[in-house]
Amino acid sequence: IRGTIEVAWQKRDAQFEYQFTVPPNTIATISVPSKSKESVKLDGQEITEVYPNEKVTFSDGHTEFIVNAGKYSITSELE
């Protein structure tokens, strides 16, 4: 892997905010705390709308999905 992996996150009240960069020619599996997969937004859009035919899973309070290289911002509702 060549390139910078950047990550920043914070929890505000019942919301989780996560910003990250995935380097070129790579993919990343993302797992974020959430109350449901419908409560997760990727760059302002509901994750199930961004990846309607992709595998977005929810288990034990976490939503998981795969992203390609790029810069992303995620928010999720925790309660």
Side-chain angles (χ1 to χ4, degrees), residues 32-51:
V32 295
S34 61
K35 68 178 181 180
S36 67
K37 63 183 177 183
E38 292 79 15
S39 73
V40 177
K41 291 186 178 180
L42 178 66
D43 296 329
Q45 287 188 282
E46 191 175 300
I47 192 68
T48 54
E49 292 176 6
V50 176
Y51 298 114

Side-chain angles (χ1 to χ4, degrees), residues 7-20 31-34 72-78:
V7 176
W9 65 271
Q10 65 182 1
K11 181 181 177 275
R12 291 185 188 188
D13 301 318
Q15 187 174 52
F16 181 78
E17 299 174 5
Y18 184 50
Q19 294 81 37
F20 61 97
S31 179
V32 295
S34 61
Y72 300 94
S73 177
I74 293 176
T75 58
S76 66
E77 298 298 322
L78 303 174

Side-chain angles (χ1 to χ4, degrees), residues 20 22 26-30 42 47 51 65-69 72 74:
F20 61 97
V22 179
T26 62
I27 61 172
T29 300
I30 306 300
L42 178 66
I47 192 68
Y51 298 114
F65 51 96
I66 295 173
V67 296
N68 292 317
Y72 300 94
I74 293 176

Side-chain angles (χ1 to χ4, degrees), residues 45-65:
Q45 287 188 282
E46 191 175 300
I47 192 68
T48 54
E49 292 176 6
V50 176
Y51 298 114
N53 299 316
E54 303 290 326
K55 189 169 185 174
V56 178
T57 61
F58 177 78
S59 180
D60 296 322
H62 286 82
T63 297
E64 189 171 285
F65 51 96

